[in-house]
Amino acid sequence: MASFSDLGIFCVEDHHEVVPHIHRAIGSKQLPWENVVMVHFDSHPDLLIPFNMEADLVYEKEQLYDKLSIENWIIPLVYAGHINEIIWLKPPWANQIPDKQVTFLVGKCKKTKAIRTTCKESYFVNELLYVPEIQLENAKTVKLTVITITTNHFCDLLDEKSDLNQQETKPTNETILSEGLAAGRKKIKLDKTSEMTINESTSTLLKDLKGALAGRKFILDIDLDFYSTQNPFKDMYTEKQYKILKKLYNCPPVTDYSDEGIDKCVKMRTEQLVSIKNCLMKCSNSTEIETPCEAFSSERFTLITELVEDIQKTANDKEKIDWEMVHEAGCTIDDSELPHHISTTEQINHLIQVTKNVLESLPRPTLVTLSRSSADDYCPVSQVDYIEEALYMILEEAYVYIKIKRVYEENLSESD
């Protein structure tokens, strides 16, 4: 039986499945209704917004759960008033938002009734989620801090492995089992030398973070793909097809932050995405590709033609091509793309140890949520169990009294 001081740790498969556990912690008054901080270890920001979801659905839990996905579950909690500060701790290979601190508004768009934000970062603008403050109602203020967690030694590890996508040393499930990891976590050998190698700028930011968290209730949230991640679309499409997607969907980063400059970026990105999607959707009903409109550039049309023909050529005759999925893959590309870095075992162990150092420098969290992210191939299946067990080990060492609930196992049992 859990004691009063036991720290609840909930491990799910898909990241948005942590939301019900956050709601329960609020309902049971473990967490306050508002002004909660989220410390978020992840290779991805997860700060997008369900594009067409009515903002008021944040107060209808079951409907909200149906609308959320892995990339868009945090900002609805901001709009609901629960979270007012997000600290995204990211690995060295994640670059969707640069290291910075920014405060912005999240509210209901008066025109669309959906959740939108005033943040002018490319991450939001290129997803068409930005609106000026005057267009928002019921706006909430949120502070976002982005910190890259790296060490001098980890930089050396990266230099030693020039091709970050090699998988030569990643552990297999068979190796993990033969080492008896599931039965005895203590067999993981962590890199103790990393304790003194966090670089100076990161160390300063972490000291500031400790001060910011003092006396506050916060959620510690860790995605296992923080330690090793892959871009699943690179396996879904051939190298040629992915290169075409990059050319089609790429757009320049925001450089003009005036209202006029942002408005221009939004209009250009909207035209780009709408025209490409319209053309791709036509392909689902016809083998002939027609230019969708006169304004459609010849270069873009040439790329779409090349992409469609190549996908049709390589597709399995028995399976219908999912053009919606093709478009979704393209939409992950703007001025950056999804991070892809399959770590070596040494790199994983090093980052685990660095995580332990960070956790021991911070106050005790109120709730811990973990996401495996392996069913959708973001965290490599061959590494996820190893990382999960290593995390349990450091969480136990950092907090002593913990109660682990593997929610994903319960969900698997229910689906059988």
Side-chain angles (χ1 to χ4, degrees), residues 236-245 280 283 287 289 302-317 321 323 326:
M236 195 175 296
Y237 301 102
T238 66
E239 184 177 354
K240 177 183 177 181
Q241 291 162 4
Y242 192 78
K243 284 182 178 179
I244 297 173
L245 285 171
L280 286 175
C283 300
T287 56
I289 307 169
T302 299
L303 287 170
I304 289 185
T305 302
E306 187 178 357
L307 176 66
V308 169
E309 289 177 347
D310 198 73
I311 290 177
Q312 289 173 337
K313 182 174 64 177
T314 58
N316 187 328
D317 292 337
I321 298 171
W323 295 109
V326 175

Side-chain angles (χ1 to χ4, degrees), residues 180-286:
L181 180 56
R185 300 184 205 137
K186 304 300 181 185
K187 293 191 177 182
I188 300 176
K189 294 181 179 179
L190 297 180
D191 177 15
K192 301 296 182 182
T193 62
S194 62
E195 292 190 24
M196 302 302 295
T197 57
I198 293 179
N199 63 38
E200 186 176 346
S201 60
T202 301
S203 179
T204 300
L205 289 169
L206 290 174
K207 286 178 183 177
D208 294 341
L209 176 56
K210 181 180 180 179
L213 291 173
R216 298 194 62 182
K217 299 278 190 178
F218 75 95
I219 301 164
L220 172 62
D221 176 75
I222 304 177
D223 194 315
L224 274 58
D225 72 18
F226 173 87
Y227 306 94
S228 182
T229 192
Q230 56 191 5
N231 180 347
F233 296 115
K234 287 192 172 184
D235 285 335
M236 195 175 296
Y237 301 102
T238 66
E239 184 177 354
K240 177 183 177 181
Q241 291 162 4
Y242 192 78
K243 284 182 178 179
I244 297 173
L245 285 171
K246 286 177 66 174
K247 290 180 181 178
L248 263 177
Y249 286 86
N250 183 263
C251 67
V254 175
T255 54
D256 181 355
Y257 291 93
S258 67
D259 290 343
E260 295 78 11
I262 297 294
D263 185 59
K264 182 180 178 181
C265 288
V266 170
K267 287 180 179 177
M268 289 177 61
R269 184 63 168 171
T270 301
E271 184 278 329
Q272 178 189 26
L273 296 181
V274 169
S275 61
I276 294 173
K277 183 175 182 179
N278 286 344
C279 191
L280 286 175
M281 291 308 103
K282 285 188 176 184
C283 300
S284 63
N285 301 313
S286 173

Side-chain angles (χ1 to χ4, degrees), residues 7 146 377:
L7 176 61
V146 182
D377 293 326

Side-chain angles (χ1 to χ4, degrees), residues 28-70:
S28 64
K29 298 187 179 180
Q30 285 180 277
L31 288 170
W33 176 266
E34 58 185 3
N35 298 331
V36 177
V37 183
M38 174 169 285
V39 177
H40 177 64
F41 285 79
D42 202 323
S43 278
H44 311 86
D46 293 354
L47 297 176
L48 297 181
I49 301 167
F51 193 77
N52 295 314
M53 185 188 83
E54 291 188 10
D56 292 343
L57 283 186
V58 299
Y59 307 112
E60 304 292 337
K61 290 192 294 185
E62 296 305 321
Q63 294 184 62
L64 173 66
Y65 300 156
D66 287 339
K67 295 290 186 181
L68 297 181
S69 189
I70 57 173

